[in-house]
Amino acid sequence: VNGVNYVQMSCLRIGLLKGNYGICDYLLNEHNANMNLKTADGLTIVMHTMKSTLSKTVLQQLEYLVIQYNADCTGTDKNGRN
C-alpha cells in the first residue's frame, strides 16, 4: 500500500485521480496508507495534485486530502521546492 508503481503512483493517488474516495478511505483507515508518501522526485500526493490545472475536481481532491485527512502541505521535493 505504501509504495509506488513504475510511473511513481501510489494506490492512494490512483484512487484519488479516479475520484474513488471510498477506496481512498479504505486505504487510509484500514491499511494505514501513508498520506505523505514521497515519490522518487520527493513529491507527495498534495504536491502532485497542486501541479494539476486548477479545477473543481482538483479543489475537491485538495479539500479531501488537507481538510479531511490533514495531509502535510509543508513538504519539499528533492530540490527543496514546496
Side-chain angles (χ1 to χ4, degrees):
V1 164
N2 289 317
V4 294
N5 64 12
Y6 70 98
V7 292
Q8 298 296 301
M9 292 181 74
S10 66
C11 296
L12 183 60
R13 185 167 170 230
I14 293 168
L16 187 71
L17 288 173
K18 294 189 173 283
N20 192 333
Y21 296 101
I23 194 69
C24 292
D25 289 336
Y26 174 74
L27 290 169
L28 289 163
N29 296 318
E30 301 297 324
H31 291 282
N32 299 316
N34 183 353
M35 175 71 64
N36 300 305
L37 179 73
K38 290 189 174 191
T39 64
D41 294 331
L43 300 173
T44 65
I45 194 168
V46 169
M47 296 165 90
H48 274 289
T49 304
M50 289 300 298
K51 288 174 61 174
S52 303
T53 302
L54 190 59
S55 67
K56 182 178 178 180
T57 301
V58 169
L59 288 174
Q60 288 172 336
Q61 291 171 346
L62 288 170
E63 181 179 71
Y64 176 81
L65 294 168
V66 176
I67 295 173
Q68 189 168 341
Y69 280 100
N70 299 314
D72 182 14
C73 296
T74 64
T76 57
D77 66 13
K78 69 178 186 177
N79 297 313
R81 292 179 288 212
N82 178 301

